Amino acid sequence: MGGAAVAVLAAAGTRRNPAPLAFLLSRVVRGLHEASPATAAAEEDKAGTRRPRQRRRSGSSLLLGPDFPDTWDPPPIAASQTPSPRDAGADYDHTTTIIDGKSIAEDIRLHIAEEVRQMKSVVGHVPGLAVVLVGDRRDSESYVRHKTKGCEEVGIKSLLAKLPGNCTEDEVMDSVSRFNEDPSVHGILVQLPLPQHMDEEKILSAISLEKDVDGFHPLNVGNLALRSRKPLFVSCAAKACIELLLQSGIELMGKHVTVIGRSKVVGLPTSLLLQRHHTTVSVIHAFTANPEAITRESDIVISAAGVSNLVRGSWLKQGAVVIDVGTNPIEDPTSDYGYRLTGDVCFEEAVKVASAITPVPGGVGPVTIAMLLANTLDSAKRVYGLISD
């Protein structure tokens, strides 16, 4: 019984009969005393009937949660249980905009090439980008080829340290250290994923903060998460997603955006960058219950799960904007490299529902490389005093 109840009893006793007031108050106080958890516990201790309290184990590892890998179940091949876009309410008369990443990337590269020429004429130097490639994954080799080609097109010097998949972690660290100390190198990236026997975080953290053009250094990610801080570099893929949306005239503020995947390469930095644009962000991962229902409520869907055809037409609401970051290699004997790339989104279904969508290839990929070149240019401009943060 609270203070208000005591006041009511006191007022009642004054009006009717002052004599029982002390009696009533004593009953209230005794009732409160009997209901006290501390008093009850003391009585249980006296009687020996109290159960020992289970103490929760303390420790930051428990507070941070279990470290489970995001292992996605592949969608059924036939997707027989997935409603067709017509069943999902698709409008076959609407026109879907195919967001041309190649064209957007070309414009960015032209601007970078002009700035590189100006830098060379002013300071006599050009930006330098170093790549560390470990192993012989075909997709990683393909990405590195495109990055090297991009450097050549804009006049950025490129260096490559290619190591076998069975090399030691120390050999990779030595390559990173060598590039850290090279003044002609302004950007360093380690192509992911690395072989399983290597500590990815340790290697990425060894990259000089001032040369972390991939934006994976803990300080860059931390500063991205704090709206009052400014990271030196932001993840190239995250920047590419936002650039594609802005260049396509798509409003971000106040929109509900679902990011599928939470990797440090795409999902995490993209969700953080979106919050800086004042969107409402939902993050879907391998343990999310009913991801289809969540995604279907979104104005914008950005998928970076790495699972071919994960997102079906039924996952999208009419008029949603779709950014497909997935680049999943599929065996294809007719291709020059023996495989072709597919996205996370079933393009044939999504194009019938979405208002705008990026293709794979030709969407996010080219712009991601353009953002890498832009980050490398910015790094060199800082070194030569041509930029102020």
Side-chain angles (χ1 to χ4, degrees):
M1 188 179 295
V6 174
V8 171
L9 288 172
T14 302
R15 285 198 304 270
R16 295 181 184 176
N17 185 0
L21 178 59
F23 171 75
L24 290 170
L25 288 173
S26 67
R27 288 292 299 272
V28 170
V29 172
R30 187 171 67 187
L32 290 173
H33 178 73
E34 288 173 352
S36 166
T39 305
E43 294 296 330
E44 288 177 354
D45 282 342
K46 253 188 219 179
T49 59
R50 187 182 182 189
R51 292 181 180 176
R53 184 175 174 180
Q54 293 292 326
R55 181 176 175 81
R56 184 178 64 82
R57 291 180 298 162
S58 60
S60 60
S61 60
L62 288 177
L63 293 174
L64 291 174
D67 184 15
F68 294 146
D70 265 2
T71 304
W72 295 78
D73 292 328
I77 295 175
S80 57
Q81 299 173 342
T82 303
S84 69
R86 184 181 297 277
D87 294 334
D91 179 8
Y92 281 82
D93 295 328
H94 88 291
T95 301
T96 300
T97 299
I98 307 301
I99 301 174
D100 187 355
K102 288 183 178 179
S103 175
I104 293 172
E106 184 178 356
D107 290 343
I108 297 169
R109 288 198 307 272
L110 288 173
H111 179 72
I112 292 171
E114 178 57 31
E115 288 209 52
V116 170
R117 281 192 292 271
Q118 291 178 9
M119 177 182 290
K120 187 174 182 179
S121 67
V122 172
V123 300
H125 299 287
V126 298
L129 174 65
V131 179
V132 179
L133 174 62
V134 183
D136 54 1
R137 283 179 58 118
R138 291 181 302 177
D139 53 345
S140 292
E141 290 177 337
S142 174
Y143 302 149
V144 170
R145 277 195 303 271
H146 284 100
K147 291 167 184 175
T148 302
K149 182 181 177 184
C151 286
E152 292 171 356
E153 290 176 349
V154 300
I156 291 177
K157 181 182 77 171
S158 64
L159 297 146
L160 173 63
K162 192 174 188 313
L163 301 169
N166 60 356
C167 71
T168 66
E169 191 175 281
D170 286 342
E171 290 177 278
V172 180
M173 296 286 282
D174 287 343
S175 294
V176 170
S177 298
R178 191 165 59 252
F179 290 139
N180 277 340
E181 296 167 4
D182 187 341
S184 71
V185 172
H186 306 95
I188 303 170
L189 71 87
V190 176
Q191 184 65 47
L192 301 180
L194 290 169
Q196 290 186 345
H197 67 277
M198 294 186 182
D199 186 341
E200 219 169 69
E201 295 300 329
K202 178 182 175 183
I203 292 170
L204 294 177
S205 297
I207 298 174
S208 169
L209 179 64
E210 292 76 16
K211 298 185 179 186
D212 174 41
V213 289
D214 251 343
F216 296 157
H217 193 286
L219 284 177
N220 277 323
V221 177
N223 285 334
L224 177 62
L226 300 172
R227 282 178 52 204
S228 60
R229 305 290 293 273
K230 185 178 179 181
L232 286 177
F233 303 102
V234 175
S235 158
C236 304
K239 286 178 68 175
C241 291
I242 302 302
E243 184 73 15
L244 285 162
L245 292 167
L246 296 178
Q247 290 284 348
S248 302
I250 295 163
E251 180 67 32
L252 293 178
M253 186 180 292
K255 294 302 177 71
H256 180 198
V257 185
T258 290
V259 178
I260 304 176
R262 54 180 176 177
S263 73
K264 61 175 169 286
V265 178
V266 188
L268 174 61
T270 300
S271 65
L272 295 175
L273 192 54
L274 283 165
Q275 290 179 69
R276 284 180 172 244
H277 285 267
H278 309 289
T279 67
T280 299
V281 182
S282 297
V283 178
I284 286 178
H285 48 78
F287 301 95
T288 300
N290 202 5
E292 181 177 344
I294 298 170
T295 307
R296 200 161 43 231
E297 296 298 318
S298 306
D299 303 304
I300 301 169
V301 176
I302 300 176
S303 186
V307 180
S308 182
N309 292 328
L310 173 69
V311 179
R312 314 295 299 198
S314 62
W315 284 45
L316 306 172
K317 78 174 183 181
Q318 186 70 38
V321 175
V322 180
I323 304 295
D324 190 352
V325 191
T327 48
N328 310 297
I330 302 295
E331 294 290 335
D332 184 357
T334 64
S335 170
D336 291 341
Y337 299 109
Y339 70 96
R340 58 186 172 84
L341 296 177
T342 65
D344 289 353
V345 180
C346 181
F347 186 86
E348 293 76 11
E349 294 180 6
V351 76
K352 298 173 183 177
V353 184
S355 62
I357 187 171
T358 59
V360 177
V364 178
V367 183
T368 299
I369 293 174
M371 292 296 110
L372 172 65
L373 303 177
N375 279 355
T376 304
L377 173 63
D378 285 346
S379 180
K381 288 164 73 174
R382 287 192 190 98
V383 170
Y384 300 128
L386 303 175
I387 189 173
S388 57
D389 292 323

